[in-house]
Amino acid sequence: MSSLLGGPPRVVNIGLAGFARDLAANGAMVVQVDWRPPSRFTALLASLEARAAQIDEANTEALRRILGAEPWLVDVRRAGELIGELDAERLILHAGPPLAWARMCGPLRGAVCGAIVYEGWAADLAAAEALAARGGVRFAPNHHYGAVGPMTGITTRSQPLMVVANRAHGNRALCTINEGLGRVMRFGGNDAEVLARLAWLRDEFGPLLGAALRSSGGVALGPLIARGLTMGDEMHQRNVACTSLLLRALAPSLATVGAGASLTRALEFIAGNDQFFLNVAMALGKSMLDPARGIADSTVVTAMARNGSDFGIRVAALGDRWFTAPVEMPQGLYFPGYSAADANPDIGDSAIVEAIGLGAFAMAAAPAVAGFVGAGGFAEAVGYSQAMSELTVARNARWPIPALEFAGTPTGIDLRRVVETGVAPAINTGIAHRRAAVGQIGAGIARAPLACFEQALAAFADAR
């Protein structure tokens, strides 16, 4: 006892990690033990043991399809050409699971109103809001039409969409072009500057990029991401390396099909937008996961998405069914002049990148992101990747992380593991102001609500 009391305290902290961080910050020696009380779903998980062999076999097939994907960025086309329903009616696609106008958050409403004016369905924002409120526009999730979109995720008929083709499985996925930083529609912007930029993307940049991709045969994205991971990207909040690598791949074909001021503007736009690759990564993620939809007995998560009100997931064996719960607030750092009181709950389809092992799951490859999103330093970045590996079926050997001794990114979120551990998947995210037209006010980390996974597990158990 005297030796124990004679030295500095040595602490084993069980459970809430916040206590351990406070002790460590004050110089105490502390070991953190992650523990949670047994899940109330313990009996349900035990009942699935009889199906364990079939589930494992199904998950192996899901991983075979996901890891065997060959995603290529191949084209840019007008949305109405790619999704016929957009030309057939006044339809606006949005991020996340289905949502009616009455429950839309501020930035999503702002983006919708801007999109209505952009499409010429109303003369101004007030008229656009009135049109949406009286049911003059139909809303649907991007995921229902083979697309994804960041933050508000607005997709309308006139926007240029990037096409990512999965050449291994013959499917494709679509995403809008990243607008850049500042006041943008994905964060709820809807003023004249926002609409003018969208018009330029539609009339000049999109057609030029599409022509360049068609002339070159496209860009293989898997190897590009592998290089980006070794250069400090995680493909959600940090896309500096992959944007630069993509620009290098595109520049010769852009120079072949473009000229003069339009070519200069295109090159400057990509070079000046560190998040340009994010939208490409999102379409890549959907193209990789969609072939796993509908695999009987598979517990692999095939989509995670948020609309600012609800968080939704899809699971391979349960097809296109959504399992939803109220979306949570991100925890992070705010730009000067803003605080958590100004923030909107988490929003966007971009959590698709975590579902393929990037973003927060690959944070060990991008320790600079940990500081940007308020997660700490290098050790914390490694910790996130290690913790997320406990939730997944396998690692992607094609995408190694140097800081993890070149172990692959943790891939294939297993519904069972999330419920069993009680550890919610982490998501790197931007933070939007809760009011329309303000824009991004910070960046942080959000957690997927465990209730989504619990609902899905119950449905999975009842499906047989």
Side-chain angles (χ1 to χ4, degrees):
M1 181 64 72
S2 60
S3 63
L4 177 65
L5 297 176
R10 291 169 293 173
V11 181
V12 176
N13 185 69
I14 300 174
L16 294 175
F19 293 120
R21 287 195 295 269
D22 291 341
L23 288 164
N26 286 279
M29 292 185 292
V30 58
V31 174
Q32 170 64 22
V33 177
D34 289 332
W35 179 85
R36 291 172 182 263
S39 169
R40 62 189 177 91
F41 285 84
T42 300
L44 183 57
L45 286 162
S47 73
L48 294 176
E49 286 299 315
R51 295 167 54 189
Q54 298 100 299
I55 294 172
D56 290 344
E57 182 179 356
N59 286 346
T60 298
E61 173 60 18
L63 263 293
R64 185 191 69 79
R65 297 184 192 184
I66 294 168
L67 300 182
E70 295 179 12
W72 284 66
L73 178 62
V74 297
D75 205 352
V76 176
R77 295 282 186 181
R78 186 178 66 84
E81 296 177 20
L82 299 167
I83 303 171
E85 292 87 346
L86 291 172
D87 273 348
E89 58 179 314
R90 286 180 174 173
L91 171 64
I92 294 179
L93 307 183
H94 60 78
L99 187 72
W101 169 261
R103 295 188 61 241
M104 287 185 184
C105 63
L108 183 50
R109 285 192 175 200
V112 164
C113 291
I116 289 172
V117 174
Y118 166 76
E119 289 295 347
W121 298 336
D124 54 40
L125 295 174
E129 184 171 5
L131 178 67
R134 67 173 181 264
V137 176
R138 185 168 75 87
F139 301 105
N142 283 305
H143 272 286
H144 291 190
Y145 291 91
V148 281
M151 301 307 291
T152 61
I154 295 299
T155 305
T156 61
R157 62 181 184 178
S158 300
Q159 290 176 287
L161 299 186
M162 297 182 293
V163 181
V164 171
N166 182 346
R167 292 181 173 175
H169 297 285
N171 63 297
R172 72 178 188 188
L174 313 171
C175 191
T176 52
I177 296 170
N178 192 282
E179 306 158 78
L181 305 177
R183 191 169 292 167
V184 289
M185 183 170 283
R186 72 178 183 276
F187 280 99
N190 55 22
D191 61 16
E193 178 186 346
V194 171
L195 299 185
R197 186 186 302 109
L198 291 174
W200 175 73
L201 291 173
R202 175 195 64 206
D203 299 334
E204 182 174 294
F205 181 80
L208 178 60
L209 180 57
L213 287 166
R214 292 190 295 274
S215 73
S216 66
V219 177
L221 298 176
L224 193 150
I225 282 185
R227 295 192 66 185
L229 286 167
T230 68
M231 298 168 69
D233 278 3
E234 40 74 76
M235 270 59 72
H236 198 158
Q237 282 300 301
R238 192 179 194 277
N239 284 278
V240 179
C242 281
T243 295
S244 300
L245 292 169
L246 182 62
L247 177 57
R248 189 169 78 168
L250 290 171
S253 52
L254 284 169
T256 298
V257 301
S262 63
L263 175 60
T264 300
R265 284 190 291 267
L267 295 172
E268 289 178 342
F269 176 71
I270 299 174
N273 179 6
D274 287 345
Q275 283 290 75
F276 184 83
F277 190 79
L278 169 62
N279 295 38
V280 180
M282 291 173 59
L284 167 145
K286 184 164 178 61
S287 77
M288 291 176 64
L289 290 169
D290 273 358
R293 289 158 53 198
I295 298 177
D297 292 316
S298 174
T299 55
V300 169
V301 173
T302 57
M304 298 194 297
R306 317 86 95 201
N307 56 33
S309 299
D310 300 322
F311 192 110
I313 68 168
R314 286 173 159 179
V315 178
L318 303 173
D320 293 339
R321 183 175 173 185
W322 287 102
F323 299 90
T324 64
V327 71
E328 298 184 2
M329 293 292 295
Q331 303 297 314
L333 299 179
Y334 290 87
F335 300 159
Y338 297 103
S339 71
D342 303 305
N344 197 78
D346 199 25
I347 187 170
D349 288 329
S350 55
I352 197 79
V353 303
E354 272 79 10
I356 58 166
L358 300 175
F361 283 56
M363 209 181 325
V369 164
F372 180 63
V373 299
F378 176 71
E380 286 78 12
V382 171
Y384 270 99
S385 291
Q386 291 175 331
M388 294 302 100
S389 71
E390 297 296 319
L391 309 181
T392 59
V393 178
R395 289 184 178 272
N396 186 347
R398 292 186 178 184
W399 292 346
I401 299 176
L404 298 180
E405 298 292 338
F406 294 93
T409 55
T411 305
I413 299 171
D414 187 340
L415 179 66
R416 297 172 299 171
R417 293 292 297 144
V418 174
V419 176
E420 179 183 8
T421 63
V423 176
I427 301 161
N428 288 347
T429 188
I431 303 175
H433 199 286
R434 58 186 175 82
R435 295 200 309 270
V438 177
Q440 184 176 7
I441 61 172
I445 294 178
R447 291 280 183 169
L450 287 174
C452 296
F453 298 87
E454 293 168 347
Q455 292 172 32
L457 185 71
F460 179 84
D462 289 342
R464 291 287 297 272

